Amino acid sequence: MKIVALVSGGKDSCYNMMQCVANGHEITAIANLKPPSESGKDELDSFMYQTVGHDAIHLYSECMDVPLYRREIKGGSVLQASDYTVTADDETEDLYMLLKDVLNDHPDIKGISVGAILSNYQRVRVEHVCNRLGLTSFAYLWRRDQKELLYEMANAGVNAILIKVAAIGLKSTHLGKSIGQLYPYLCKMNDMYDLHICGEGGEYETFTIDCPLFKKRIVVEETETVVHSDDAFAQVAYLKFKKCRLEEKTAGEMDMGNVVIQDWKEWESYDEIVSAVENAKDAPLVKAELVASFAEQPMTKSATATVHDHSPFFAISGTTAYDLDDTINFKNIEEETQACMEAVQAKLTKKGLNWKDVVTMNVFVTNMDDFGRINAVYKQFFDINPSPRALVGANLNGKAKLQIDLTAIESIANVKRDTMHVQGISYWAPANIGPYSQSVVTQGHAFVAGQIGLVPNTLDLPTPRSFAQEAALSLRNLENIVSVLELPLKTNTALCYCFVSDPTYLPLAQAAWETYMDTPPPTAYIAVPSLPRGAMVEWQVLLNAPLPTPFGEEEYDNTTDEEQDEETIRQMKVLQVREDCFGE
């Protein structure tokens, strides 16, 4: 796939470009946003973009032999909420216009390289722009272990120097030194003060002067150190490039051999689960709390769809397009999907609910080949964060080709609801292959979308095909999603639905789940006619979450709980160091 790479000059954007190339993509152009010339500033107070080092970005075009597109940042951080919608004068719109410029000249570009590691704020906005322009976001560094990642970058030939410092333990004397030189020291600062090793907390910024993608390296001949704050505790300073030149490289210096493409099989539980599945091929299924098979017999359905009201919790089950009139004839699956979704919407409205209150959905279809056509209509009923779901095949009674069950939780004022909707391609977990989010956490519950065994960086099922491989990979994906919620899968899972595409897989699924879980929760093992992408197994879980903590009427902070906890610990350590050093 041809892609455009967002470049800031930093190590992350350069190493993600290398990952894109290693995964078979072609960098056709690079793009950068810089401070407005009239500002006279090298650095802006931007939540989205690194601007320090912008005075040497123009060299990247010649280094990589691709065109560089640039725009000035006109907007600011206007909308600071966790989600983003089109907002006038927001700096996100500068990115949209920049990428439109690129696509005008290169309409065959289909993706974008983004060096995001931890910032949900940046990820959400980049993915929003990608959706508007029909692009795929490639963010191979997303949620990577920072200590492992920084070592990997330096070992792969990324020669990035520090051009800004802004944290305890870092001083202007560290400016100009490479990430390879400073790696041991950054690890030490992480141990002492919880400094983010990759600088994700804004502790430092870098500028890449060489990497294997460069046909020429940048030689820095003259710089100026600009000190923002000469605080003895945490100096803030950056480098301004005064004179640079380019130097030719040999073919051997452009070797990409040390770029690591992550292998999902390195997951710590892989061998144990594969072995358990292989040993269970002839075992009977005897211990499941509930076993059902809809692979050969139709799902039973009451005469009327049901609504269970335990306010603020609601369960609406068995809805089809034929609820009111089973004599209707639809021309196609799109019409039936529209009617079914409208029937669900009417039931929600009757209970004073809307689609934003829905926390999980189970969609049953008679023909999995209709997957894409159903999604095209289904997604029109949701905004930027559709609810988690599982979509599986089923032999439905009567004329229905589609049935929907859902759970909704009525929103309570001042109670936070967190939705995770990651759409970029990475090694972390699969991007959504339909209109659903990975998870919703609210009011003491976490609902996670059904996970099949897709290889995250390719969105393909593993080859050669085997139930053991898919079981291990789908559980690995599930674990990675849940880990972001800080709700350990093994201890917090309250209920699990395991769908398999053949009844003979039931004992294999049970072996995999019981091997993975220390104490398996109540689990329903269900054989269905088919799963998305022809998968063999899909896991859907409900977890116990902390009870809600009310927040004020003002917009709450957009950082994740993990980021907030890390920042709290960091601030406490900073205060302790201040007290130890200065008697404050």
Side-chain angles (χ1 to χ4, degrees), residues 111-133:
I112 179 173
S113 169
V114 185
I117 298 176
L118 196 60
S119 172
N120 278 307
Y121 183 93
Q122 294 173 343
R123 175 190 61 77
V124 165
R125 282 150 179 78
V126 170
E127 290 179 354
H128 188 278
V129 170
C130 285
N131 286 336
R132 290 158 66 186
L133 295 172

Side-chain angles (χ1 to χ4, degrees), residues 347-460:
K347 294 175 184 179
L348 290 171
T349 301
K350 187 175 181 179
K351 290 296 180 179
L353 304 169
N354 57 50
W355 289 107
K356 291 183 179 180
D357 294 314
V358 177
V359 292
T360 188
M361 296 181 71
N362 281 40
V363 181
F364 303 99
V365 299
T366 59
N367 185 356
M368 194 58 69
D369 290 339
D370 291 334
F371 181 86
R373 297 168 65 188
I374 290 170
N375 281 339
V377 178
Y378 178 98
K379 69 181 181 181
Q380 297 174 16
F381 288 79
F382 295 93
D383 59 9
I384 54 179
N385 287 323
S387 65
R389 78 172 189 196
L391 187 150
V392 303
N395 295 315
L396 300 175
N397 266 327
K399 298 166 61 176
K401 297 180 180 178
L402 176 74
Q403 178 181 311
I404 293 176
D405 298 350
L406 65 83
T407 301
I409 302 180
E410 184 179 10
S411 298
I412 297 177
N414 297 337
V415 173
K416 190 175 180 181
R417 177 182 296 231
D418 283 325
T419 301
M420 180 166 58
H421 188 204
V422 180
Q423 301 167 76
I425 303 296
S426 67
Y427 296 117
W428 167 70
N432 303 316
I433 60 171
Y436 59 89
S437 298
Q438 277 91 355
S439 67
V440 166
V441 181
T442 187
Q443 300 190 46
H445 301 79
F447 301 85
V448 181
Q451 295 299 309
I452 61 176
L454 292 179
V455 180
N457 57 308
T458 65
L459 296 185
D460 294 324

Side-chain angles (χ1 to χ4, degrees), residues 33-109:
L33 286 154
K34 62 181 179 178
S37 55
E38 65 269 17
S39 72
K41 295 181 178 179
D42 295 313
E43 186 176 27
L44 298 180
D45 185 18
S46 169
F47 288 7
M48 279 286 289
Y49 314 115
Q50 172 184 320
T51 54
V52 63
H54 73 92
D55 42 354
I57 285 288
H58 64 281
L59 299 172
Y60 276 31
S61 180
E62 191 172 346
C63 286
M64 297 183 63
D65 193 24
V66 294
L68 168 66
Y69 291 79
R70 304 190 79 177
R71 261 186 177 264
E72 293 184 346
I73 301 170
K74 299 296 187 181
S77 304
V78 177
L79 181 60
Q80 298 180 15
S82 55
D83 294 322
Y84 181 77
T85 55
V86 177
T87 303
D89 300 322
D90 192 278
E91 60 186 352
T92 304
E93 299 308 305
D94 295 314
L95 175 60
Y96 175 76
M97 296 306 298
L98 174 65
L99 294 179
K100 279 195 70 175
D101 291 342
V102 176
L103 293 176
N104 285 338
D105 291 346
H106 303 276
D108 53 348
I109 283 178

Side-chain angles (χ1 to χ4, degrees), residues 289-570:
E289 287 80 355
L290 174 64
V291 179
S293 177
F294 300 125
E296 297 175 357
Q297 61 187 16
M299 293 175 60
T300 59
K301 179 177 178 293
S302 59
T304 58
T306 58
V307 178
H308 297 281
D309 183 343
H310 301 283
S311 183
F313 302 92
F314 299 83
I316 301 175
S317 62
T319 304
T320 74
Y322 299 93
D323 276 2
L324 298 179
D325 185 353
D326 61 3
T327 66
I328 302 174
N329 290 312
F330 296 103
K331 295 179 182 178
N332 49 50
I333 190 62
E334 287 86 353
E335 283 191 0
E336 183 174 343
T337 303
Q338 180 74 25
C340 183
M341 294 294 284
E342 288 176 354
V344 172
Q345 185 169 280
K347 294 175 184 179
L348 290 171
T349 301
K350 187 175 181 179
K351 290 296 180 179
L353 304 169
N354 57 50
W355 289 107
K356 291 183 179 180
D357 294 314
V358 177
V359 292
T360 188
M361 296 181 71
N362 281 40
V363 181
F364 303 99
V365 299
T366 59
N367 185 356
M368 194 58 69
D369 290 339
D370 291 334
F371 181 86
R373 297 168 65 188
I374 290 170
N375 281 339
V377 178
Y378 178 98
K379 69 181 181 181
Q380 297 174 16
F381 288 79
F382 295 93
D383 59 9
I384 54 179
N385 287 323
S387 65
R389 78 172 189 196
L391 187 150
V392 303
N395 295 315
L396 300 175
N397 266 327
K399 298 166 61 176
K401 297 180 180 178
L402 176 74
Q403 178 181 311
I404 293 176
D405 298 350
L406 65 83
T407 301
I409 302 180
E410 184 179 10
S411 298
I412 297 177
N414 297 337
V415 173
K416 190 175 180 181
R417 177 182 296 231
D418 283 325
T419 301
M420 180 166 58
H421 188 204
V422 180
Q423 301 167 76
I425 303 296
S426 67
Y427 296 117
W428 167 70
N432 303 316
I433 60 171
Y436 59 89
S437 298
Q438 277 91 355
S439 67
V440 166
V441 181
T442 187
Q443 300 190 46
H445 301 79
F447 301 85
V448 181
Q451 295 299 309
I452 61 176
L454 292 179
V455 180
N457 57 308
T458 65
L459 296 185
D460 294 324
L461 293 165
T463 54
R465 294 292 304 277
S466 76
F467 188 91
Q469 295 270 359
E470 289 191 31
L473 179 51
S474 53
L475 287 172
R476 178 259 188 203
N477 292 339
L478 185 64
E479 179 182 90
N480 279 5
I481 289 171
V482 172
S483 68
V484 178
L485 307 178
E486 295 188 332
L487 302 172
L489 185 62
K490 293 185 179 182
T491 58
N492 284 58
T493 301
L495 178 66
C496 173
Y497 292 101
C498 176
F499 300 98
V500 296
S501 60
D502 189 290
T504 61
Y505 298 152
L506 289 168
L508 309 185
Q510 183 175 14
W513 185 237
E514 295 189 350
T515 297
Y516 175 78
M517 297 294 291
D518 296 330
T519 304
T523 304
Y525 298 87
I526 307 165
V528 295
S530 58
L531 293 171
R533 299 285 183 89
M536 299 180 187
V537 61
E538 178 172 348
W539 309 91
Q540 183 184 25
V541 296
L542 166 66
L543 297 96
N544 293 314
L547 290 174
T549 300
F551 57 89
E553 292 295 334
E554 72 280 358
E555 183 69 55
Y556 57 83
D557 186 16
N558 60 30
T559 56
T560 64
D561 290 342
E562 177 182 347
E563 292 166 332
Q564 291 171 345
D565 290 345
E566 289 179 355
E567 181 60 22
T568 299
I569 293 171
R570 186 181 300 106

